Amino acid sequence: QAELLDLVELGTLAMDNAWAEARRREVRIRLDTSLEEAPCIGDRGLLSRALTNVLGNALKYSPAGSDLLCRIGERQSQWTVAIQDQGPGIPVELQPQLFQPFHRLHHESHPQVHGIGLGLLLVRTAVQRHGGSVEIESAQNEGCTVILVLPKPAAGTFQSITANACDDNDR
């Protein structure tokens, strides 16, 4: 169900939902944005799940006492939501494997981290359904930044979404 969303709000909610786990792991989650809002047209459930998965992965690999940074920004006709951890990082040559189903890169170095290897594939699928992409910035022992890139709505989209919402409320 496509609706008008605010990526700043979705990011803040995902961070709030991860707060207890972050505290348990002794990791600080910080939001870094100068944006008041980042309007987007999308499926709230899919995008929330994608943000939750990326934050969850970042928390799993963040060492105690570290910071996890969520940056929300913009590039021309796109919004960016970047989740940066201070974990083990991913060598460039292994990064293409991140989106392979049932494949986990750090199963030997981090056996305490559980998962079946579908999280980032789900994230990429959800973001692609919204016309976006997922970027990875990482290197061995340098942490990892996962960037969700989503399109800004075209001019005039707000009016049609708002009008449809008003029509639905009148029924």
Side-chain angles (χ1 to χ4, degrees):
Q1 173 88 10
E3 61 181 294
L4 181 59
L5 305 171
D6 176 11
L7 292 175
V8 174
E9 176 189 357
L10 282 182
T12 302
L13 284 172
M15 290 171 56
D16 288 348
N17 290 334
W19 180 83
E21 180 67 12
R23 185 176 172 138
R24 189 179 74 71
R25 293 179 176 271
E26 300 176 27
V27 173
R28 290 172 304 277
I29 302 178
R30 297 184 303 121
L31 175 64
D32 178 17
T33 187
S34 60
L35 300 171
E36 293 285 324
E37 61 181 12
C40 176
I41 305 297
D43 181 304
R44 180 177 299 276
L46 273 179
L47 289 178
S48 293
R49 177 111 185 240
L51 287 168
T52 297
N53 279 359
V54 175
L55 274 168
N57 277 348
L59 277 172
K60 287 178 190 178
Y61 293 105
S62 292
S66 66
D67 288 336
L68 193 156
L69 184 62
C70 179
R71 288 188 322 270
I72 302 174
E74 59 184 319
R75 304 177 184 159
Q76 299 161 348
S77 63
Q78 300 169 319
W79 299 116
T80 59
V81 180
I83 311 293
Q84 179 181 7
D85 67 43
Q86 296 174 356
I90 302 160
V92 174
E93 65 274 10
L94 296 181
Q95 290 177 18
Q97 297 175 28
L98 284 172
F99 301 102
Q100 291 179 2
F102 307 110
H103 187 76
R104 295 183 54 232
L105 293 180
H106 295 294
H107 62 279
E108 290 179 18
S109 64
H110 290 75
Q112 75 279 12
V113 175
H114 301 285
I116 58 172
L118 290 176
L120 280 177
L121 179 61
L122 179 138
V123 168
R124 185 178 70 181
T125 301
V127 171
Q128 286 177 339
R129 281 191 180 168
H130 289 82
S133 61
V134 178
E135 300 172 1
I136 306 292
E137 292 179 359
S138 186
Q140 184 77 40
N141 301 317
E142 293 186 20
C144 182
T145 303
V146 177
I147 305 166
L148 310 184
V149 181
L150 292 158
K152 291 180 180 179
T157 306
F158 297 117
Q159 290 78 12
S160 63
I161 293 283
T162 306
N164 288 338
C166 291
D167 290 346
D168 290 342
N169 292 334
D170 293 338
R171 291 184 192 147

